[in-house]
């Protein structure tokens, strides 16, 4: 673990943050920028590193809850079947959860076919367009609020978005910019629209019924991880590109 995260021991908070003994962590593999599995099948990435750092400060072990979809991870923490998870801050998800301030900002982008007439993000919201997103993802929640004319087609998960886009001959795919860029490099005949249509504010979360002190300590842990440079160093360690360390505090709601 990176030696530059110098926050005080949280051992006294362990009964409040991890009341069942080990720190039960919900990890969503749907966003490869943040989490994946290593060769041994263990969680890896910045989300896993933050989990291990928090568990070390609490003086407890870890039990992983691994999911392929963000919504399943949300439901796990909301039901108090995990103590922490990693979520995009969204008002629809807020019920039953406490979000820390975000630690990472990630761009959402659109993919189209090379011969598509679309040239900008502002042209997407037309009645003749079908936009595919991962069901229950931050992109799904955001576009469900903001698209007034285009029809949303929900793929089973975020990693399946491009597969559905190609198989169903849809007009637009929406998702993590880095993932879509990687897909565009391996697939002929597709391109990304320039810029971004949204910014995801990725945070840690815990069940809302945790004590005020537990919520405050989680917030302080995340803020220190950013302020100390630990998050920026995690970007380097995991070769994360295209994301940014979130500024201090909470974002302005969209």
């Amino acid at each position: 673990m990176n030696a530059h995260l110098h926050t005080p021991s949280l051992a006294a908070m362990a009964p409040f943050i991890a009341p069942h003994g080990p720190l039960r962590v919900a990890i969503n593999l749907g966003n490869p920028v943040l989490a994946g599995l290593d060769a041994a099948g263990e969680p890896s990435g910045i989300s896993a590193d933050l989990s291990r750092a928090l568990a070390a400060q609490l003086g407890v072990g870890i039990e992983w809850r691994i999911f392929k979809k963000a919504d399943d991870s949300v439901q796990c923490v909301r039901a108090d079947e995990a103590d922490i998870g990693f979520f995009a801050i969204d008002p629809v998800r807020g019920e039953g959860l406490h979000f820390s301030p975000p630690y990472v900002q990630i761009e959402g982008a659109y993919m189209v076919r090379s011969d598509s007439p679309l040239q900008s993000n502002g042209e997407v919201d037309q009645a003749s367009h079908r936009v595919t997103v991962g069901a229950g993802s931050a992109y799904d929640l955001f576009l469900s609020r903001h698209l007034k004319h285009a029809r949303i087609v929900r793929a089973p998960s975020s990693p399946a978005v491009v597969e559905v886009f190609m198989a169903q001959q849809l007009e637009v795919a929406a998702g993590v910019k880095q993932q879509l860029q990687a897909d565009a490099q391996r697939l002929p005949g597709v391109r990304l629209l320039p810029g971004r249509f949204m910014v995801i504010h990725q945070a840690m979360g815990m069940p809302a019924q945790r004590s005020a002190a537990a919520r405050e300590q989680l917030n302080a842990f995340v803020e220190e991880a950013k302020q100390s440079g630990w998050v920026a160093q995690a970007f380097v360690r995991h070769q994360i590109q295209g994301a940014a360390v979130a500024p201090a505090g909470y974002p302005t709601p969209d």
Side-chain angles (χ1 to χ4, degrees):
M1 180 53 57
N2 195 296
H4 293 275
L5 184 52
H6 295 301
T7 51
S9 171
L10 298 177
M13 292 301 300
F16 304 97
I17 296 175
H20 299 275
L23 183 68
R24 304 170 303 164
V25 180
I27 292 284
N28 164 38
L29 302 180
N31 188 337
V33 175
L34 301 175
L37 298 177
D38 63 19
E42 289 293 310
S44 64
I46 187 171
S47 298
D49 287 359
L50 279 166
S51 303
R52 292 185 176 103
L54 179 59
Q57 291 188 22
L58 294 170
V60 300
I62 290 183
E63 287 184 1
W64 301 105
R65 311 281 193 266
I66 299 174
F67 300 96
K68 295 182 179 179
K69 297 196 301 182
D71 198 46
D72 291 341
S73 179
V74 169
Q75 296 300 333
C76 179
V77 177
R78 187 178 285 157
D80 198 12
E81 294 174 358
D83 303 307
I84 63 167
F86 297 84
F87 313 117
I89 295 176
D90 187 277
V92 174
R93 288 181 176 161
E95 183 178 357
L97 294 176
H98 165 73
F99 294 121
S100 76
Y103 58 96
V104 172
Q105 294 179 330
I106 303 170
E107 295 181 340
Y110 288 131
M111 172 187 281
V112 298
R113 286 177 173 72
S114 297
D115 60 359
S116 170
L118 294 175
Q119 298 298 323
S120 70
N121 295 326
E123 300 173 43
V124 168
D125 193 13
Q126 300 180 36
S128 58
H129 295 156
R130 297 163 297 171
V131 181
T132 184
V133 295
S137 67
Y139 311 97
D140 183 3
L141 300 176
F142 179 89
L143 293 176
S144 293
R145 292 194 299 274
H146 290 273
L147 292 182
K148 305 304 181 185
H149 306 289
R151 181 163 68 89
I152 294 176
V153 177
R154 291 175 175 86
S157 64
S158 291
V161 162
V162 173
E163 178 184 347
V164 170
F165 166 72
M166 299 295 287
Q168 297 188 23
Q169 295 290 302
L170 304 177
E171 289 74 33
V172 182
V176 180
K177 187 171 187 177
Q178 294 92 326
Q179 183 62 58
L180 293 180
Q181 287 172 330
D183 290 331
Q185 290 177 353
R186 67 179 179 84
L187 294 172
V190 297
R191 59 182 170 85
L192 268 63
L193 294 182
R196 66 195 188 196
F197 69 86
M198 70 174 294
V199 176
I200 288 178
H201 304 279
Q202 193 75 16
M204 296 181 73
M206 62 171 38
Q209 61 265 38
R210 291 291 189 270
S211 68
R215 298 194 298 269
E216 290 170 5
Q217 288 294 339
L218 182 67
N219 293 359
F221 172 80
V222 170
E223 293 288 25
E224 173 60 21
K226 292 185 294 186
Q227 189 276 331
S228 67
W230 186 96
V231 172
Q233 291 177 8
F235 285 4
V236 176
R237 189 165 62 249
H238 295 292
Q239 300 181 329
I240 297 171
Q241 297 180 347
V245 178
Y250 287 94
T252 302
D254 63 69

